[in-house]
DNA sequence: CGCCTCTTTGATAAAAGTCAATCAGGGTGG
DNA sequence: CCACCCTGATTGACTTTTATCAAAGAGGCG
């Protein structure tokens, strides 16, 4: 159950009990607080149990680039395993809880659970794929396409979690969306207004109601992303 | 030696001979030809031995987004391990050779070589990190900063390989650079001309001579990227 | 109530894209 | 061997997109 949240894809049932050893620790992170900071020692990765987080890079001048918004079941901290130092900050968008997966424990357990390493590889590969999609979005799409793709992607992930794909609450500000999508907050706001005017969505502050999913898809020029 | 090209970072000497088992196969790829295509079965990753390649996404409309330019010693195919299907194309920019690393072999060998899985994890984490840097470049930097960072990054990687950091040959067209950086080929061309006019570089077709590395660094507003 | 943060909207400016015309090299065939 | 052609690169004129600056509106909370 817990394991399914943290390492969800395709494990045989028998192994699940042993997998629980992996996720001994849970950590709560209050809204606005950091799970880890750039430079922190990274000997674990984290699976979100509930809540939502953002990860962001920060350069020497203090300028920030958000690289992801994470939902329950998704894994955080995969970019810190090069030198075992986190290269980004992970900050909670709302009160959240994560489970801690120690990497040495993975290596130990993987001696008796052959499927474990390929499993972790899949998770890392998925993050690479996601990140490449992000590059595509920023490199090839115009602002309205990016925002449409962003909404569809959120919608899709929320649906996977059993929530409504049509109606949801944004956990991030216009500024954070803009930063993530390489746009200014004003542009994001204007696009929301335009989508609303064109009957694609209803938007009131952070509440989103998707009215015309198909039109959004066509606008985004992509499946999700 | 060969192993160092393919899995280069920090392995104890004793293991090297066994690692050679990993890289039994080498493949040559002629300029313009693909090492693999989107949708191909992905049971291996590839280390570039010599030459250079690009990886690119392609959407249903055929539009392409280049996600990376790869040099010798770098690993290709890490984004295909989710469903064991490649999600990108890998195309040689010049006549190249790669070594093939089978993933099942990694899992088998890792039972006797404990450092192997963490090693692969580092490689994957590095790709995630690189990709996040790319997101930052596309999301937060202006065109001239992106191109400056691109040149510095190439310079740095070539220096690591023992080549001159100041003088090198671009293996990709203006169009490919533009695609990669989210710019048009005209913008890339204009920027090269401007950098040249401002005395930062000398450029003749695809030959690049970096004259003022420090100024490029300041322009890019970053260390490398 | 009033302050504070977030959001919306407008006017204007800057950045980068588009369209179009040359220009330069490299290779091919006469 | 040289002219020509084809691809890739440069440059210019103009347009579109998006950012910037500024002001006002909406909620939420002390």
């Amino acid at each position: 159950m817990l394991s399914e949240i943290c390492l969800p894809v395709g494990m045989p049932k028998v192994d699940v009990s042993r997998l629980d050893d992996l996720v001994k620790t849970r950590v709560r992170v209050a809204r606005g607080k950091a799970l880890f900071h750039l430079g922190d020692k990274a000997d674990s990765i984290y699976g979100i149990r509930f809540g939502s987080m953002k990860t962001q890079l920060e350069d020497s001048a203090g300028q920030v680039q958000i690289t992801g918004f994470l939902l329950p079941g998704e894994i955080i901290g995969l970019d810190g395993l090069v030198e075992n130092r986190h290269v980004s900050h992970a900050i909670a968008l709302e009160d959240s809880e994560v489970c801690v997966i120690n990497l040495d424990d993975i290596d130990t357990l993987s001696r008796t659970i052959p499927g474990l390493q390929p499993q972790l590889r899949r998770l890392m590969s998925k993050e690479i794929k996601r990140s490449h999609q992000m590059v595509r979005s920023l490199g090839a799409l115009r602002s309205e396409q990016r925002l449409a793709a962003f909404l569809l992607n959120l919608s899709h992930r929320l649906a996977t979690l059993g929530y409504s794909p049509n109606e949801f609450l944004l956990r991030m500000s216009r500024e954070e969306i803009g930063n993530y999508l390489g746009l200014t907050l004003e542009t994001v706001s204007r696009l929301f207004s335009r989508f609303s005017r064109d009957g694609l969505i209803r938007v009131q502050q952070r509440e989103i109601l998707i009215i015309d999913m198909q039109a959004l898809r066509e606008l985004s020029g992509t499946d999700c992303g």
Side-chain angles (χ1 to χ4, degrees), chain A residues 112-131:
Chain A
T112 51
I113 308 177
L116 194 52
Q117 293 288 0
Q119 179 72 5
L120 177 59
R121 245 171 9 229
R122 267 192 292 279
L123 289 170
M124 296 192 77
S125 189
K126 200 170 176 181
E127 172 61 22
I128 293 172
K129 195 177 149 189
R130 190 192 69 81
S131 188

Side-chain angles (χ1 to χ4, degrees), chain A residues 24-149:
Chain A
K24 296 175 277 235
T25 318
R26 300 180 195 178
V27 176
R28 293 215 173 204
V29 190
R31 180 194 158 117
K33 299 292 181 195
L35 172 61
F36 55 76
H37 282 293
L38 193 159
D40 286 357
K41 197 106 182 64
D43 49 14
S44 303
I45 58 179
Y46 307 89
I48 298 189
R49 276 179 48 79
F50 61 78
S52 52
M53 309 198 77
K54 63 173 173 177
T55 53
Q56 56 186 36
L57 307 177
E58 188 176 336
D59 67 18
S60 48
Q63 185 155 345
V64 154
Q65 172 67 46
I66 296 174
T67 54
F69 295 116
L70 288 292
L71 298 183
E74 298 174 344
I75 304 291
I76 211 165
L78 295 172
D79 59 351
L81 311 183
V82 186
E83 310 278 4
N84 294 318
R85 292 265 162 207
H86 287 297
V87 295
S88 54
H89 307 262
I91 297 165
L93 295 173
E94 60 190 311
D95 292 350
S96 304
E97 187 174 292
V98 302
C99 52
V100 182
I101 305 167
N102 183 277
L103 289 167
D104 290 339
D105 290 351
I106 287 187
D107 291 329
T108 307
L109 265 178
S110 68
R111 271 174 227 138
T112 51
I113 308 177
L116 194 52
Q117 293 288 0
Q119 179 72 5
L120 177 59
R121 245 171 9 229
R122 267 192 292 279
L123 289 170
M124 296 192 77
S125 189
K126 200 170 176 181
E127 172 61 22
I128 293 172
K129 195 177 149 189
R130 190 192 69 81
S131 188
H132 285 180
Q133 283 298 333
M134 199 60 219
V135 166
R136 188 186 85 92
S137 173
L138 291 167
L141 303 186
R142 286 178 310 132
S143 61
E144 56 175 18
Q145 297 180 298
R146 282 183 223 172
L147 189 63

Side-chain angles (χ1 to χ4, degrees), chain A residues 3 12-22 113:
Chain A
S3 327
K13 271 265 167 66
V14 273
D15 293 331
V16 168
S17 59
R18 277 185 289 178
L19 278 181
D20 280 333
D21 297 345
L22 272 182
I113 308 177

